[in-house]
Amino acid sequence: NEALKQTGFSLQDLREDAAINIKVKKLLEPKVPITEEEMKKYFEENKAMFATEEQVKARHILVETKEKADEVKKKLAAGEDFAELAKKYSIDINNKDQGGDLGFFGKGQMVEPFDKVAFSLAPGKISDPVKTEFGYHIIKVEQKKPAKQANYEESKSEIKDLLFAKKMQPVYNTWMEEKRAEYKIENFLTKKQTDTKS
């Protein structure tokens, strides 16, 4: 939703674009052959792209003082809901309304003290207050994904999509020119503007 606001698109615009893209892909797929050899070559040349590092899914509550962090920690120890406390107390406006949800992130994406604690906690565990340059965080780790080496078979679908996107544009341009030549196209918008001027 934030990305849509920044680009000036509505959700309806996004849906319409997605529908058009799916139709174009179905029309052009037979004209864009992608071989097994091409896919394997792309995989070998871009192996690092298909490997995944260790990741953590976490929530946090960010407050300004140690006293406030201790207060929140006591409420958590008493059984209060982490997400609800994040909405109430967290000063991180980017995710407080989502209950402090940070999604998945890899090592090095967060500031060092936060990173160190998040990757050392077991899923379901809640940290003591962690001090960073932003304030005091209480972190709850929800899930962990281990590092995974690149695997060709598991990446085939993604590779095919990437190669299709790369090869599609010139094919699309040629196809569009053929269609323009094949059909009579009347631009009613231009005609209407001309009529209004006269």
Side-chain angles (χ1 to χ4, degrees), residues 129-145:
V130 178
K131 188 178 187 307
T132 73
E133 62 201 83
F134 304 106
Y136 290 84
H137 308 256
I138 297 170
I139 305 162
K140 180 182 182 183
V141 169
E142 297 193 324
Q143 199 178 334
K144 282 189 172 182
K145 283 183 185 176

Side-chain angles (χ1 to χ4, degrees), residues 4-192:
L4 285 171
K5 279 180 197 171
Q6 286 171 14
T7 55
F9 276 82
S10 69
L11 192 57
Q12 186 58 35
D13 292 331
L14 191 64
R15 286 193 176 116
E16 286 171 9
D17 275 359
I20 289 166
N21 288 337
I22 290 165
K23 286 172 188 173
V24 168
K25 187 179 178 187
K26 284 185 177 179
L27 279 167
L28 296 184
E29 258 177 335
K31 298 176 185 286
V32 185
I34 295 164
T35 66
E36 190 78 16
E37 288 70 32
E38 280 180 285
M39 289 168 64
K40 282 180 179 173
K41 186 182 176 196
Y42 189 88
F43 174 76
E44 289 302 326
E45 289 173 353
N46 300 278
K47 227 175 206 178
M49 186 173 148
F50 301 103
T52 54
E53 61 182 351
E54 183 186 3
Q55 291 185 315
V56 161
K57 185 178 191 294
R59 293 180 184 271
H60 82 140
I61 299 168
L62 174 64
V63 293
E64 290 173 330
T65 65
K66 176 75 163 60
E67 291 71 30
K68 183 61 74 175
D70 288 337
E71 181 190 331
V72 172
K73 179 73 178 174
K74 280 179 188 172
K75 288 177 183 289
L76 288 164
E80 291 195 39
D81 183 71
F82 194 99
E84 290 306 314
L85 289 173
K87 288 176 187 177
K88 185 176 179 182
Y89 289 100
S90 187
I91 58 170
D92 188 343
I93 58 169
N94 293 315
N95 52 58
K96 68 175 286 176
D97 292 338
Q98 290 77 44
D101 187 10
L102 296 165
F104 278 99
F105 54 90
K107 279 187 178 176
Q109 285 183 249
M110 302 295 181
V111 290
E112 192 179 346
F114 188 105
D115 204 65
K116 192 175 176 183
V117 172
F119 279 89
S120 66
L121 282 174
K125 297 293 182 185
I126 296 171
S127 75
D128 289 327
V130 178
K131 188 178 187 307
T132 73
E133 62 201 83
F134 304 106
Y136 290 84
H137 308 256
I138 297 170
I139 305 162
K140 180 182 182 183
V141 169
E142 297 193 324
Q143 199 178 334
K144 282 189 172 182
K145 283 183 185 176
K148 198 173 179 183
Q149 289 187 339
N151 181 294
Y152 174 69
E153 289 301 321
E154 289 176 11
S155 307
K156 276 174 83 169
S157 175
E158 187 182 349
I159 294 167
K160 193 171 184 180
D161 285 344
L162 288 164
L163 287 172
F164 178 81
K166 196 175 176 182
K167 295 170 92 176
M168 186 192 79
Q169 196 56 53
V171 174
Y172 174 80
N173 292 341
T174 305
W175 175 79
M176 186 58 83
E177 288 306 315
E178 286 170 359
K179 293 301 161 195
R180 284 194 180 119
E182 189 179 339
Y183 295 98
K184 183 185 175 186
I185 299 169
E186 209 172 335
N187 188 334
F188 289 98
L189 183 62
T190 306
K191 190 176 179 183
K192 190 176 178 183

